[in-house]
Amino acid sequence: MSTCATASRSSDEPLAGTAATARTWLLLEQPGPWGAKALTSSHLDPAVGRALEAAAEGTGVRIALIRRPGRHADRHTDGTRRVYAAHTVPGGTWLREADIDDPARLLGLDLGALGTGDADGFDRALDGRAHTGAPLILVCTNGKRDRCCALLGRPLAQELTDSGERGVWEVTHLGGHRFSPTLLVLPYGYAYGRVEAPLVKEILEAVTDGRIVTEGCRGGSAWERPGQAAELAVRKAAQEAAAGVLSVERTEGAAPRWEVAVRHVDGRAWRVTVARGASLPARPESCGAALATPARMDVVAVRELVTAPDG
């Protein structure tokens, strides 16, 4: 059976620069089935879902639903739900959690402040606390958006859970169905595609040690897509694995070509040229969609800048 993931994998479509963009992730546990637009087509009150979508617009916050791996019976049940908020911008990364009985409490959050990295409002509104457990592994499994997410994502989430990995959740949408199975790792916010359990375990070991694995990486969600590709290119060129040490300072230009400035906390700096190309041959971006040539971020040049000596 041909799928969008099969077509993308067979053509070796590049992964870099394809991650969803979000400075801050807000995740709400919602058991049961999900529809294609899960915030308004699940057992979550659709009025709450619509209000959250409207409140998040333009804030840098991306909202998604999560659930534990396994069977998802169509039962309307209330109870305590876990909520996570994660800010992914280097230098201000954090991961908070809370337990709530009523999802409408999320409407009391200042999402604008949350998007800038202010965790205090989350703690005040929801009695939040620092997350001290294992890194979160969010595997996209929403088959109502794309069958590849269900066919490839659900078995991966279950395999990781069965192997004893903690922090595994299914998530409604990470973008890039054709890169399934896709996942996001928090707190640092790097997304991955075409992953299998052994690589995920390596990724998690690295995150626990404060390192980033670049194999299979789609990019860090804190940056726009040209910045994602540029930061990964600098990591590879500089052989830099440490998390939180590289920042995208600015992006100049417009499609189809950008100049991206990347800086290390030790003062080193790079100028990266990124060009938008087209992935050929044509393939569906989602199962059932028409043939298209998805945009790709091609790194044309990585130049380390010479810093003048002090004095």
Side-chain angles (χ1 to χ4, degrees):
M1 176 177 60
S2 178
T3 65
C4 65
T6 301
S8 179
R9 185 186 292 267
S10 64
S11 64
D12 198 26
E13 183 179 352
L15 292 166
T18 65
T21 300
R23 294 192 303 271
T24 301
W25 291 84
L26 180 62
L27 308 167
L28 169 65
E29 182 179 4
Q30 176 57 61
W34 297 329
K37 296 183 178 180
L39 281 178
T40 54
S41 55
S42 67
H43 290 335
L44 177 67
D45 182 344
V48 172
R50 284 191 294 270
L52 287 172
E53 286 180 333
E57 189 71 27
T59 64
V61 176
R62 189 178 179 99
I63 304 174
L65 303 182
I66 58 174
R67 65 190 177 194
R68 289 297 188 184
R71 295 178 62 85
H72 306 293
D74 193 358
R75 293 193 296 267
H76 292 260
T77 57
D78 295 322
T80 302
R81 305 163 190 241
R82 179 60 53 87
V83 180
Y84 294 104
H87 191 61
T88 63
V89 177
T93 303
W94 48 257
L95 176 58
R96 313 294 292 180
E97 64 181 45
D99 295 305
I100 62 174
D101 294 324
D102 182 3
R105 290 183 65 188
L106 297 183
L107 299 178
L109 291 172
D110 182 345
L111 297 188
L114 202 62
T116 65
D118 181 2
D120 291 342
F122 178 88
D123 291 350
R124 287 194 302 269
L126 305 179
D127 300 319
R129 58 192 179 272
H131 174 73
T132 58
L136 300 188
I137 318 160
L138 308 173
V139 184
C140 188
T141 64
N142 192 352
K144 291 298 176 65
R145 290 195 69 99
D146 193 282
R147 63 182 178 182
C148 286
C149 297
L151 291 172
L152 301 173
R154 287 181 186 170
L156 175 63
Q158 192 63 57
E159 181 181 359
L160 292 169
T161 299
D162 292 344
S163 70
E165 291 292 347
R166 297 169 296 156
V168 181
W169 295 85
E170 298 184 8
V171 67
T172 47
H173 185 48
L174 296 177
H177 315 297
R178 64 191 184 279
F179 303 123
S180 295
T182 65
L183 59 85
L184 178 77
V185 180
L186 297 174
Y188 299 118
Y190 285 81
Y192 291 84
R194 302 185 193 130
V195 289
E196 297 180 353
L199 177 57
V200 177
K201 291 180 179 294
E202 180 183 343
I203 292 167
L204 290 172
E205 288 176 2
V207 169
T208 301
D209 293 337
R211 295 179 292 108
I212 303 300
V213 170
T214 57
E215 182 182 354
C217 192
R218 299 174 61 193
S221 73
W223 318 121
E224 297 294 332
R225 293 185 175 183
Q228 294 173 12
E231 191 252 13
L232 286 177
V234 169
R235 282 194 174 278
K236 294 175 182 178
Q239 298 183 333
E240 179 58 82
V245 298
L246 292 175
S247 292
V248 175
E249 288 198 316
R250 63 184 178 279
T251 300
E252 300 171 343
R257 195 176 183 90
W258 300 267
E259 295 293 329
V260 183
V262 179
R263 182 170 292 276
H264 196 287
V265 293
D266 66 9
R268 284 179 293 163
W270 293 262
R271 190 172 181 87
V272 184
T273 303
V274 180
R276 186 182 68 188
S279 296
L280 296 171
R283 82 288 308 279
E285 294 191 54
S286 295
C287 289
L291 295 180
T293 53
R296 52 186 281 174
M297 295 290 116
D298 294 323
V299 173
V300 177
V302 178
R303 298 180 295 279
E304 184 171 0
L305 305 180
V306 177
T307 304
D310 293 338

